[in-house]
Amino acid sequence: MDLNWLKDFLTGMIKPVAALAVVFMAVGLSYVQKLGLEGEMIYSVFRAFVQLSIIGFVLQFIFSQKNAAWIILAYLFMVTIAGYTAGQRAKHVPRGKYIAGVSILAGTAVTMFLLVILNVFPFTPRYIIPVAGMMVGNAMTVTGVTMKKLRDDIKIQMALVETALALGATPRQATLQQVKRSLVIALSPVLDNAKTVGLISLPGAMTGLIMGGASPLEAIQLQIVVMNMLIGASTVSSIFSTYLSWPSFFTKAYQLETKVFSSE
């Protein structure tokens, strides 16, 4: 049985293990300052090690396969986890996990389809899975914030929404301002990041390429693509989530569903 892969893996772990020195420094400072975070720090690092090691072996297997089904399976797995996580953030939105999952799927799938059609990325595991991971992670955060903010704003301004409904507005018209506000708040960090990229810190994709030996100009080109796709996927996902969310806030008689807003 060939165990060279295990030898290579263990050899490559020398530097990550050495980097634990900075974690021990943080643990020591937490102990001295009596923060009580020592256990959580150690657990977090251990969990990250296990998760990344497992995903590394999984990706190694997927990259060696020629079947596109593995790409789709990995992508759907990421979307499922992201939908669950975003739904947890917006836990008071009815069917929040389902709405978040569908919204993230829609936004990232459309964006990925365009990138592949335009030949920006080839449809291979080595490109699609990392790119999809970045888009799904970003869309997860934006979608969760959008759904939570929309529900919270409608709750705060229930009287205003009910007045609009009484005057003949449709649910979408009555909540238009709340929808806009939730989208602006959710998308602002993505746009701010795009405005300051490279000025404050070097993004992960760009840093990885440079450390891997690519020229800074090549790294910049990829980072521009990454920023563009994050904006596109996040915008589609967040807007889609509002269209799926707001019907659950109203009854069939176009009245506010009070039980949705009764909990904190």
Side-chain angles (χ1 to χ4, degrees):
M1 184 177 180
D2 186 10
L3 295 178
N4 286 333
W5 63 270
L6 181 59
K7 179 181 178 181
D8 293 340
F9 174 75
L10 294 176
T11 302
M13 289 304 297
I14 294 177
K15 290 182 179 179
V17 170
L20 286 174
V22 295
V23 177
F24 293 143
M25 176 185 67
V27 170
L29 289 173
S30 174
Y31 177 78
V32 171
Q33 296 295 319
K34 296 181 172 55
L35 301 180
L37 296 175
E38 301 88 340
E40 187 172 353
M41 287 180 179
I42 294 173
Y43 170 74
S44 299
V45 171
F46 175 75
R47 178 170 173 172
F49 169 79
V50 173
Q51 289 177 177
L52 290 174
S53 297
I54 292 174
I55 198 63
F57 287 118
V58 171
L59 290 177
Q60 183 72 18
F61 169 77
I62 294 176
F63 286 178
S64 65
Q65 305 301 307
K66 303 298 182 182
N67 194 338
W70 287 106
I71 301 177
I72 298 174
L73 185 63
Y75 168 63
L76 292 178
F77 175 78
M78 290 187 287
V79 169
T80 301
I81 299 299
Y84 177 84
T85 304
Q88 284 288 93
R89 177 185 289 273
K91 58 185 178 181
H92 295 305
V93 176
R95 301 180 299 121
K97 296 181 180 65
Y98 165 78
I99 292 173
V102 172
S103 301
I104 294 169
L105 177 64
T108 55
V110 168
T111 305
M112 185 66 68
F113 176 77
L114 289 175
L115 292 175
V116 173
I117 290 297
L118 294 173
N119 201 30
V120 177
F121 292 118
F123 192 73
T124 60
R126 189 169 297 276
Y127 284 91
I128 297 300
I129 292 178
V131 167
M134 286 187 282
M135 285 196 297
V136 169
N138 214 66
M140 173 189 71
T141 302
V142 171
T143 300
V145 172
T146 299
M147 294 167 60
K148 183 179 186 302
K149 183 61 179 174
L150 177 58
R151 183 260 180 190
D152 291 347
D153 273 9
I154 294 177
K155 180 180 179 180
I156 293 173
Q157 299 179 325
M158 286 181 65
L160 183 63
V161 174
E162 288 175 335
T163 300
L165 291 172
L167 293 174
T170 64
R172 187 69 181 182
Q173 292 171 334
T175 56
L176 184 60
Q177 294 304 315
Q178 290 78 15
V179 168
K180 287 183 177 180
R181 188 179 299 109
S182 65
L183 290 172
V184 169
I185 290 175
L187 290 171
S188 290
V190 180
L191 300 178
D192 289 343
N193 190 36
K195 294 174 186 176
T196 59
V197 63
L199 299 178
I200 299 176
S201 62
L202 296 181
M206 183 176 173
T207 302
L209 280 174
I210 293 175
M211 294 179 67
S215 73
L217 294 180
E218 291 176 332
I220 288 172
Q221 293 167 0
L222 177 62
Q223 188 59 49
I224 291 173
V225 173
V226 169
M227 293 307 306
N228 291 344
M229 73 184 190
L230 293 183
I231 292 175
S234 298
T235 302
V236 174
S237 295
S238 57
I239 292 176
F240 208 82
S241 70
T242 65
Y243 277 95
L244 294 179
S245 294
W246 69 260
S248 62
F249 299 148
F250 299 90
T251 65
K252 293 181 179 180
Y254 282 6
Q255 296 175 328
L256 281 173
E257 189 68 75
T258 54
K259 64 181 181 181
V260 176
F261 305 100
S262 59
S263 56
E264 292 297 331

